[in-house]
């Protein structure tokens, strides 16, 4: 597998500069206006049949709901995620309303689109994001108790990053993206 450390010329700076920080500035607040912009970006993501099968549970330090989320973080993510200005639990609805389908094979993909939109909106606002799955899924699901058909998938920490992207970020090459599914191990 070939690695390309630098983005190609022409890739948008918001994409090229994005990284997942492991430190957030605990004094940086994500206010209501910014939260609405992040959710608005997610709202405009594409989805299969315009089903928009995503939902979010947002919490900020100092708010009662924040502790409801933070207590379920794994130690590996608690070290940095608790300092983020915003924690977002991402959910998907895999049941397709108005049909006899019991499961949408596109729901998780569509949620990923919404999260990607949020990520880019955060970058445009000068915020960083770090998506993760290091938390107690069962405990958090019991705590938040989403309606039937809704499933927690991941979490996202957003806020002001402390530090710069690591030097020499390792990315798979474009050639590898095309060849890897058919290459022998």
């Amino acid at each position: 597998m070939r690695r390309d450390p630098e983005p190609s010329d022409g890739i948008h700076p918001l994409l090229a500069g994005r990284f997942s920080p492991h430190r957030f500035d605990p004094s940086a607040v994500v206010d209501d206006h910014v939260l609405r912009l992040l959710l608005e970006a997610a709202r405009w993501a594409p989805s299969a049949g315009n089903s928009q099968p995503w939902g979010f549970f947002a919490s900020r330090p100092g708010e009662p709901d924040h502790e409801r989320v933070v207590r379920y973080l794994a130690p590996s993510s608690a070290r940095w995620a608790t300092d983020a200005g915003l924690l977002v639990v991402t959910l998907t609805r895999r049941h397709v309303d108005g049909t006899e389908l019991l499961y949408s094979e596109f729901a998780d993909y569509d949620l990923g689109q919404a999260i990607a939109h949020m990520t880019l909106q955060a970058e445009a606002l000068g915020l960083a994001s770090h998506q993760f799955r290091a938390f107690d899924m069962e405990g958090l699901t019991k705590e938040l108790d989403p309606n039937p058909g809704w499933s927690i998938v991941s979490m996202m920490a957003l806020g002001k990053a402390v530090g710069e992207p690591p030097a020499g970020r390792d990315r798979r090459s474009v050639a590898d993206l095309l060849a890897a599914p058919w290459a022998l191990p």
Side-chain angles (χ1 to χ4, degrees):
M1 169 177 22
R2 270 193 8 231
R3 303 278 181 168
D4 286 339
E6 296 299 319
S8 299
D9 289 336
I11 189 171
H12 196 282
L14 291 177
L15 296 169
R18 191 213 61 78
F19 74 106
S20 298
H22 282 94
R23 288 186 57 216
F24 287 93
D25 178 352
S27 68
V29 175
V30 176
D31 64 25
D32 289 343
H33 173 71
V34 169
L35 176 56
R36 277 192 300 276
L37 288 173
L38 294 168
L39 294 172
E40 187 69 20
R43 189 170 83 89
W44 286 99
S47 63
N50 197 28
S51 59
Q52 303 171 46
W54 49 76
F56 306 100
F57 183 89
S59 69
R60 296 175 277 204
E63 295 178 348
D65 283 336
H66 195 254
E67 184 53 37
R68 292 179 68 196
V69 173
V70 167
R71 74 177 71 143
Y72 295 101
L73 297 177
S76 61
S77 57
R79 286 192 296 270
W80 51 267
T82 54
D83 287 338
L86 178 67
L87 287 178
V88 177
V89 178
T90 72
L91 298 97
T92 189
R93 188 181 65 228
R94 295 181 177 121
H95 176 76
V96 183
D97 291 334
T99 72
E100 292 187 23
L101 293 174
L102 297 179
Y103 181 81
S104 167
E105 61 186 321
F106 302 110
D108 289 3
Y109 176 84
D110 292 343
L111 171 62
Q113 289 273 353
I115 293 168
H117 275 58
M118 287 179 78
T119 298
L120 288 178
Q121 183 65 45
E123 288 289 324
L125 295 169
L127 299 175
S129 61
H130 187 133
Q131 298 154 30
F132 62 101
R133 174 47 189 91
F135 58 91
D136 175 0
M137 176 77 77
E138 184 178 326
L140 186 59
T141 298
K142 285 180 184 174
E143 175 71 33
L144 298 182
D145 193 26
N147 285 328
W150 286 91
S151 299
I152 295 172
V153 175
S154 64
M155 289 181 68
M156 185 177 195
L158 297 111
K160 290 283 185 188
V162 173
E164 297 296 319
R169 297 181 342 178
D170 197 20
R171 307 305 294 178
R172 291 173 44 208
S173 71
V174 170
D176 186 57
L177 298 179
L178 295 170
W182 296 272
L184 295 175

